Structure formats: structure tokens, C-alpha cells
Amino acid sequence: MATEKKKTSQVVKYNKWGYIFLIPFVVVYLIFQMIPLISTIYNSFFENYMSGLKQIGPTWVGLQNYITIFQNGDVPKYFGNTMVMWIAGFIPQIVLSLLLAAWFADTRLRVKASGFFKTVIYMPNLIMASAFAMLFFTLFSETGPINSLLIQMGMIDTPYKFLSHVVSARSLVAFMNCLMWFGNTTILLMAGMMGIDNALFEAAQVDGATSTQVFFRITLPLLRPILLFVMITSLIGGLQMFDVPQILTNGEGTPMRQSMTMIMYLNKHLFSKNYGMAGAMSVFLFIITGILSLIVFKFSTSESND
Amino acid sequence: MPNEEYNDVEGGLGIIARRVIAYIVLILLTFLCLFWFYLLFINSTRSHAELNRGFTLMPSKYLVQNFNNVIHGTQPIMTGMRNSFLVAALCAILSTYFSAMTAYAIHVYDFKAKKAIFTFILAVMMIPTQVTALGFIKLIGNLKLMNSFIPLIVPSIAAPATFYYMKQYMESALPHAIVEAARIDGSSEWRTFNTISLPIMKPAIAVQMIFTFVANWNNYFTPALVLSKDNMKTLPILIAQLRAADFLKFDMGQVYVTIALSIAPVIIVYLFLSRSIVGGVAVGSVKG
Amino acid sequence: MKKKLLSSLLSVAMVSALLVGCGSTAAPAAEAPAAEAPAAEAPAAEAPAADAAATDAAAPAADEGKVLNIYCWNEEFKSRLTDHYPGYEEVDATHGKIGDVDVVWTITPSDDNAYQNKLDEVLPGNADAAADDRVDLFLVEADYALKYVDEDVTLPVADLGITDADVANQYQYTKDIVTDSTGKLKGVSWQGCPGVLIYNREAAKEVLGSDDPDKVQEAVKDWDTFLATAKKMKDAGYKMTATANDTYRVFSDNAGKVVENGAIKVDDTIKKWVDMSKEMVDAGETGTGDLWGDDWSAGFYPEGKVFCYFGPAWLIDFCMAADDEASIAHAGGWGATTGPQGFSWGGTWICAANGTDNASLVGDIMKKLTCTTDIMLDIVKADNDFVNDKPAMEQMAADTSYGDAVLGGQNALAMFCAGAEKIDRSNMTIYDQGYTESFQQAMKEYFEGNATYEEALDLFYTSVTEKYPELTY
């Protein structure tokens, strides 16, 4: 508005709007997430659980809860499980998504009915994870159709217990996660591609670049911010993995808790209202997510602006 | 397909081969994606006894009966649907609008606390919901907000992941030049954001709206913590209750019908919004 | 009732369901739509009330609370009350009326412990809550009854005017489960849940040469013969039981306390179950699926090829898919016999919450539904429940015209009656529920060869101490 002011004061005037636009976020965040977070951290230093109807504690125990979850080897084990299952699902997911996004964007490939395909691939995400896992559970049960099919084809003679073997149990979890999220990732990548100036593609085409070249030289580098976003959110989602393995394995992470994730373990403590241990587990989860995201973040940004 | 491409002397595979591969993969994926909906549909046409007996690909004849059982059952499914829609829609709108606003603040302006705030938001983005659940529920109790939609809707204003996406998107699609130009034209900051920047962000907003809507529509976690009154409950809670029915009333047929019912509106919203993404509104506004 | 659920499948939401407990929600407010409530002495809604209604269907004393809050996890008790308590009128799904008193139902599914969380949240402060919000009556299941009974959140039934003479007809074990450590009876049940061995008649004829209950009993009279029969069944293509867990309750019901002086115990009887089950699983005579799962219920159909299940009356009548034409139950293809050992499974107990402002009404409900033979006979006839009344059940057992269609017309009540007399549940602890779940899960790993017995036992200890941090092993 007031254009008669000097330039610097104008910039300051504009920049004050930065703060104004941040107000809603900051206020809501502080109330609904910061306060709960602090109270969770506070809880982690106490022995505090229910035995029947009796409240035990809260008694200050310092770092005892942390020592316990590390000493019995629980945390490293469940962290490992979680990462293995996340990676096993994420790699095919990102490859598939990039491939699809590239195909859809490829003007020479001219995929017919691409609108249909784009719409369809996201759909698995519309089903509640719990309902989806229920269907999977039925399909892969001992008396389920997959087993009957395999037996009919003569590949096995007794039903294979998919959820009682490490590799198959973890693979099922990874497969489901991949299937649920690859459409989401593809849409994100496509939205990112739409932000890329079409002139770049046209210029490359005129210069006779192949689709592969266009993809690796133009699309991928320009997609970096979105890819980074996908990677980080998927990592966060992966660390929070819960519904799918919980339902597929009855909450037990069969076999021998080798498909039990960190949140499933957290859940066990919440179940017994063990606020101390659950708090410690939460804080650990908080720290580990922070570190991992930081690594991913640093790794991806340092490459881009060398 | 029969026609050769004019400039088709490519390195790598010929265009036809690539096209064939692409179609095969796409059709396979389509099957993998749609099969579950078919399965849900089949299961919702079957009676509890049939479902117990095992699996089949052929629909049965109990769809209407299951549906009637659900509608006339003790669970207020229709109210639940309305509640879910209210919560999910408001969350989607608030979350995308305010995330865009927050991202805009970080992207466009230059102020002292900018870097600190940006880093902070990135850091807190990683906190899983479950981590703060204990404290959240205590807080809601203290604020006397149990059995209210406020704790479900208002927190969506602060959605770090959505914010981050918006920020990333702005980097590739919202050049500072546009904002500058608007300022020179005498547009206020508030107006620039709402009438010039937001429209450019449309694809990103549509994407995030879908994600937020679906996530909240299907969310069981927080609603189950907060809502206990029957007429406030959202669909996922009702589905969980149907599944928990006692052995006399337990009916998987009803469970599947309810799941199917709960998916239908999401699909509609999705199809509606997906058009605005696929249409590619963004292109051009950058150059302009 | 041991809830049938795929508690697994459901628990998606586990985390949250649990947390519900730590909130501070009040009971649904007492806003019962009393608008068009009919006159107090409206015609008793449903059939069987007739005779009993004559006595004192009238409303409770005037000085009592206006709202009767009932907490439960399903609709079973509501239908019992609606159908069999004189004077109860249904207003809508969660409200009813008894005379001038509004009845408010708070139904919380027992999934993921949500029901117990709810009780844990409201019961301790119940006496201080506003009169209309106080819980008056709540229900518990056998596996965790002691958790509430052994605390002062429940009132002794004697305080409600129920005497020893009133409950004299009830089976002893149903009283043991809800007797606290000082010997006070703190709840009553209208059900008895003695279990029997339910066998596939087809398989019995084919393999044992006869489907006569006495002949079949010979082949399953103790665990050694049971195992020998399992071999024969296996050779003929049948599984003896659908899963190893089928036999668990038969053993555990006859074992010692699961926790003594704060230490987790694995009783010899339980160990016997482990050894026997491992042998059977290895020989392919049983499976490792979970109860209520698809692999378990497959045996309800002829092609499932399962010889027997263990269960009480409710399992036979309601859970074996009798309404499905293809099922064995529909064709009346099951038979019942005593089996190797007696046991019980399930049951629902009515408790009065400390702080209730409707004590005499609660007492009256208890008395009518669990101590009045006429009403209980009505329950048997209308709902096929096995009721907690010895004379009533003996009368039915002797009734040759009564038979169970699922069992091909066999009247197995005499067997149930005999079983119910012998059950001893005085060894219950507050840990039984969590112990049982953890133990079955851990042993499944051993049965499937993913762990040695010792490893499985470690897993079990880990799992139990997660649930009950105060326990040692």
C-alpha cells in the first residue's frame, strides 16, 4: 500500500507478514503438540503403571526405564525389524513410482487412458489399513485361497504358514505397505513434475534426447525437493509402522517377534498403562526419527548445492 | 500404435516395446489395486456363515440384507458417516489452507526467526502421533474437550508434513517474481497470498487435500481417544464396534458392508479431486 | 463370554483403544428421552414375564436414584433384561425404563481391553461422582472378574439383600469366581458354562465304528486314549482338534494358580498340555491357528475334517454356524460327550458398583435374573442358555422331549449338569486373562518349530511382564 516509504522499511513491513502468517501454525502447534510432547517426556522418568486397579507410582526412577528397554535388547531388535520391513517396502515403492511417473510424463510414450491408471493406483490407499490387512490375512491364512492355489498347482503339498516364517511374514508386510503407498508417491511425483517447465522437455526433445536421458538428466534432478519429501515422509511413516503388521500377526509380531515394530512394542506398554516405559519408548522413537531424518535431509541437500 | 514415430531412432528400447512393457505393468498394477475393492464387494454380499466357510470370487445374495442389518442395527452408521465427513472435510480444508500459509511465510518472507522456525518444524515433523498420545489425551481432558470435534479438527492447522510439501512445491512453482509483481501492482500481502499464490498452488492443495481427507476419514486413533458418545462417533469407531459385537450378534457380513459403505464417499471425493490434479493447472502460471 | 473376536484382526486400533482409559470422560449424560414414556404400570413388554410380574414388578423405593447406569461390553445382558426382567421397557438402543428409573446403557466393546479400561477409569471414583452419573451395575467375565471383585469397587451381594439361601441353587464354581479373598460373594451369574467334548459323528462312525456318546467317550476317556485316538483320526484324514488351543482350557481349568507370591508359575498340568500339543502338532493331528480364526472354524464344515471341539452350550448353539446349510451343525452332525476332563469356558457375572444409588433395584435385578427358577427356565427355553440354577437344569436334563438339533437331537444337559458340579475355579487370579493369551501365543512359536521350549518360555515371560510389570519369574 504505502509506497512512499523508503525501500528498506518497506521490506521490513512486508517481512512482518512472515510472522503474521506463522501465527496460526505456531499457536496450534504449541497447544496441541508441544504440551503433550513435554508431558510424555516428563512421564518417561517415572515408574508409573496400573496393577489391576491399583496405581503403582509415579515414582522418580531417573533413566531406569531407558536402561531397561535397552538392556533386554528389545529396542534394538524392534528398531531393526522396523527398518528392514520399511526398506523392503520402500525400494520397490519408489522405483515403481518413478517409473510410472516417468511413463505418464513421457510425451512420446503417450500412455492411453493414463487418467484411468493415475486414478486407480492411488485407490489402495483409500481402504482403511485395518480393513486391507484383514483381507490379506484371510487370503494368506492356512486354509486361505493362496494356499489352496499353490497346492492345486502342485508347488507345495501342505499349507504354507506365511505368517510363521520370518521372510514371508516380513515380505507380506512390506508388500502391503508398498501397494498401499506407491500410488500416493506417484501422485506426489507427478504433481512435482507438473511444476517443471514444459519448455525444458520440449527443448530436450528437439535436441534428440532419449526418454531415459530426459528422465535422468532433467526430471530427476528437478524432482529432488519432492523426492526428498517422499523419502522423509515415508521414513516417518515406516518408523510408525503399526496397523499392518499388528493385524497380520495378531499383534504378536510372529514368528518370535521378528516382525514386531517399535510402535507395536510401544503399544504393549500402553496396553498395561505403563506410562513410564511407554514414555521412554516414545522419547527414544522421537530421538531416532530425528536423527534418521536429519541424515536423509543432510545427505540429499549437500549433494544438490555443492 | 501401428504408426512409427517420426523421430524414433532412439537409444534403448524401441517405442513399441516400451509401450508394451508399460501397458503390461500398468494392467498388472491395476489388477493389484482394484482386486481388493472387488474382494470387499464380494464379501459384503455374503452372509456371516458363508464368510466363515471360506473364500470365493463369486458374489452371493446377501448384500441388501447385510445393508438393512447395518442400517437398522444399533450402530448409528449414518450419523457416523456425517461425523466422519464433517471432521475429514474440515481437516482437509484447514490443514491445506494453513499449511500453505505457513509455507508461504517461510518461502516468501525474510525474517530473523525464519531459519530457526523452519528447522524446528522439520524436526517436529518426525514425531509419530503415538508418541504424544499420552499427553494429548490428558490435555484434552483438562481442557474439557472430550466428546468434541475440536481436538480432532483444530490440530490439523499445524500439519508439519503438509507444510513441508507445500514449501517444497513452492520452491519449484512459485517464483518470488510473482509476489514482487503483485506488490508493484499494489496488492496487499494478504490478498497476494489468497488470490495470486493460492491458485498457483492448486495442484499441491488438491493433492494434500485428498491425503488429509483420506487420512482423517480413516483415522481411528485420535477419534477413539476423544469420542465416546454414540452420536459423536466416526465411522472407524463404529466399524471397530461392529467387529467387537458379541457372539450372538457378530456378523462379518455387516462389517464388510460397513467398510464398503465407508469407502464409497472417499472414492467419490477422490475422483472429484483427482481431476484437478490430472488436469495440470500449474503449468503456465510460472511463465506468466 | 470369551469374546469371539479375532481380537487380532481388530486391534488395528489397539493403541488408541487402550488410551481411552486415561481420559476423563463422564458417562453419557442422563438425558434419556423420557418424553413419551407410558404409564408406570405399562404392560410388561415381552412374553415370559407373566407370572413373576405379578409379585412386585413395581418400581424401586422412592428414595433411590433416578438413573440406573449399566456398564457392559455387548448386548447380551440387555436382551436378557428386556425379555426376562418384569417391568423393563426399552426406550431406544441405549436407554430403557424400569418404573420411574431411567436405565442408561454404556456399552464398550471388550476389544483391546477397551471395556476394562472404561471400568478402570470410572469405578475407583464412582462413589464421588454425581448421583446420576454413577455406575450402578456392571458385568464382568470370568478371566478378569477377580480384578474387580477383590477390590472395594464392587459391593458384596449380601449388602443388596441377597442371602446365601437365595443363591443356594447356583453352581458352586460360579460363586467361587466372584468371591473375594475375605470370602465375600460379590457377584452373581445367570449362566453356567460347563464344557464338554463335541465330536463329529461322521468321523466317529468312520473311525471308531460308532457315534454313540458312550462309545466315543471310551475313546477319549483320558489324555492317553485321546492321543491314541488322535493317531487313528490322523490316519483316516481327520485332525483330532482344529488347533492346539482347543484343549488349553481343559488343562488350565484343572491347574494350580498361575501366579503365586508375585511369581509367574507354569503348572505341571499346563506343561503336560504343551508336551501333548507339541506331539500332536508334529504328527499333524492338530493345527496351530488361533481360536476364532478361519483355520479354527474350518472344522465346522465337513470338508474341514476335524474330529472334535471342546466347549460349553453357547459354543454349540451359537458359534458352530448352525444357520449355514453346509455346516455340520445344520445337519445335526455333532455329538457331545464328557471328554477327558471337565472344564468351563466363559460366563458373565453381574456386579454392583460401590457407590450405586440404586442398591435395591440392582439387588432385585440380580435376584430375579439369577435366583428365580421360573425366570431362569424361561431363559433356557427362549435363549438356549445353560442357566445357573441346578433344579432348573436337572429338570431340563430329565426332559426327554428336549434335545439339541445341532447334536442330532441329543439331550446333553445331564452331561453339562454333571460337569458344572465338578468345576473348581477357586484357583483364579487377577492375571489369568493376560497369562492365557501370552502363553498360547508363545507356545505357538514352539509348536511351529520357530523356537525351543525354553525360548518360547522366555518369550512368554517377556510378554506377561509387559502386561503386569510387577510380576517376577
Side-chain angles (χ1 to χ4, degrees), chain A residues 51 130 164 250 256 272-273, chain C residues 8 12 117 290 445 448 470:
Chain A
S51 161
S130 53
S164 301
N250 278 354
M256 289 308 280
S272 49
K273 302 198 188 75
Chain C
S8 47
V12 179
N117 283 332
D290 294 319
E445 303 281 6
E448 290 182 340
E470 71 272 25

Side-chain angles (χ1 to χ4, degrees), chain C residues 170 266 316 419:
Chain C
Q170 301 187 355
V266 177
I316 300 175

Side-chain angles (χ1 to χ4, degrees), chain C residues 287-305:
Chain C
T288 56
D290 294 319
L291 293 186
W292 305 113
D294 289 349
D295 302 331
W296 178 72
S297 55
F300 296 164
Y301 301 92
E303 58 275 21
K305 293 250 168 198

Side-chain angles (χ1 to χ4, degrees), chain C residues 46-66:
Chain C
E46 316 265 344
D51 45 1
T55 53
D56 57 347
D63 59 331
E64 295 228 335
K66 291 190 290 296

Side-chain angles (χ1 to χ4, degrees), chain C residues 7 25 29 41 59 89 93 97 104 108 116 118 121 126 151 166 172 193 202 305 343 372 384 388 400 434:
Chain C
S7 108
T25 41
E41 66 278 52
E89 296 156 30
K97 263 183 126 26
V104 178
T108 313
Q116 288 184 55
K118 188 92 189 168
E121 176 195 329
N126 195 43
E151 298 279 342
D166 288 332
Q172 186 56 41
C193 299
E202 248 349 275
K305 293 250 168 198
F343 70 104
T372 311
N384 273 329
N388 193 9
T400 45

Side-chain angles (χ1 to χ4, degrees), chain B residues 158-220:
Chain B
T162 314
F163 153 80
Y164 184 53
Y165 178 83
M166 296 290 185
K167 170 83 174 59
Q168 297 295 73
Y169 190 88
M170 280 179 187
E171 253 162 41
S172 52
L174 183 71
H176 286 214
I178 290 184
V179 181
E180 299 287 340
R183 280 177 189 161
I184 290 167
D185 291 348
S187 165
S188 75
E189 295 305 300
W190 179 249
R191 237 192 85 176
T192 309
F193 169 68
N194 282 308
T195 59
I196 297 172
S197 307
L198 273 188
I200 295 175
M201 298 295 293
K202 254 190 191 165
I205 289 174
V207 166
Q208 286 302 325
M209 266 187 139
I210 291 185
F211 293 170
T212 315
F213 184 89
V214 171
N216 282 289
W217 179 270
N218 288 343
N219 190 10
Y220 176 94

Side-chain angles (χ1 to χ4, degrees), chain A residues 269-282:
Chain A
H269 288 306
L270 289 179
F271 196 89
S272 49
K273 302 198 188 75
N274 194 339
Y275 298 144
M277 294 284 269
M281 189 61 211
S282 303

Side-chain angles (χ1 to χ4, degrees), chain C residues 214-234:
Chain C
D214 295 333
K215 294 270 162 49
V216 175
Q217 178 61 23
E218 275 307 296
V220 293
K221 64 178 191 291
D222 54 42
W223 292 115
D224 289 336
T225 20
F226 183 83
L227 265 178
T229 309
K231 266 191 197 68
K232 287 188 218 157
M233 286 295 161
K234 159 79 180 150

